[in-house]
Amino acid sequence: MFPVRIRVALGVITALVIALLSSTAALADGPWPNDPQGPQAKAIADLYWIMFAAAVLVLAIVDGALIYAGIKFRERPGHVAKQFHGQNFLELTWTVIPTLMVVSFSVLSWQKLDFINNTRGGDVGMVVQAQGQQWQWTFSYPHEDRFKLLDGSYLQTSEELHITVGTKVRVELSAKDVIHSFWIPSIGGKKDAVPGRATELWIQADKPGTYKGQCLEFCGDGHADMLITLVAHPVSDYGAWAVQAVKDANRLIDPLTKVGRDTFLSLACVGCHTVKGTTAGGKIGPDLTHIASQKGIAGGALAPVNEENLTRWIHNPPAVKPTTTMPNYNLSDQQVHDIVQWLLTLK
Ligand code: CUA
């Protein structure tokens, strides 16, 4: 059996290895900087691995020499520990080699920094603005016709940033309240968004997909939930995404849908129906939160869910389905029309 001290040491080492392995497993699903999915992240990862390899080599040589010397030249009965004073060759070696290493790392890093910081090159294919605010990122798309909304403003999205594959995108950062930091580990970065100051970085994804990011500057209670989802579309799909995103955004700012919403919320509807995100929380009738995505209404008595059927239903429910508990409220044509326009936005 080993002496107690060695057994304790072995126990501690085992615990550390288990902790390391389990934290690595936990990381496997999360963002991971050494899984580069774009040129910038790759530049950073390459540099990381070069330095990591050098560090492992130095560790092996230094510790190897230390252990070797400790055993070979140690003091023991009848043997005085060997003294190493005035070894000019050794001292020169362990001064010159580390100096050369530090200098080469500096040069390598400098070169990569040029590449990483080049947000103003002619190869930039798209420019978006990202604003950090407790606790959400808002992305503004370029002032191009395809991103233009009904009210003359341009498309903005929250938390999700949509780009095309293979496009170098400049992200211009700003912060509304406190300092935030933009970071999508597998794509590159990171950069602080500082109130009152303009900062920027560029991102590029090599493959279509979804990449997770995270605010990396502690910014208050909701910091851990201040996430970024980067969606890289194939070029051929991006147009369709933009059309749908603009349509969705338009529906929300369309004055007609606001009137319909207000009408709905001011009537008896809210006593029976729930629409998540509004004050309507009734439990007697069906939940209408996603009514526009349903196959039918009135328990399937009317299908599909479209303007015509919704209008018919709300005008006089018992006329469509005599067994329904929804009464005829004798709403005006205008009221029904407004409500229907709003219901059609509930997808
Ligand atoms: Cu925003 Cu942390």
Side-chain angles (χ1 to χ4, degrees), residues 179-243:
I179 301 177
H180 303 274
S181 188
F182 183 96
W183 192 39
I184 305 172
S186 55
I187 296 299
K190 64 192 132 334
K191 200 74 154 190
D192 279 4
V194 185
R197 188 187 292 183
T199 53
E200 58 192 32
L201 81 167
W202 64 270
I203 54 174
Q204 182 175 329
D206 288 336
K207 281 181 283 181
T210 300
Y211 305 93
K212 290 286 177 193
Q214 159 82 57
C215 174
L216 213 82
E217 181 74 44
F218 180 69
C219 54
D221 278 359
H223 162 71
D225 295 321
M226 195 166 161
L227 305 174
I228 303 164
T229 302
L230 178 73
V231 184
H233 296 262
V235 180
S236 54
D237 289 358
Y238 195 70
W241 168 79
V243 167

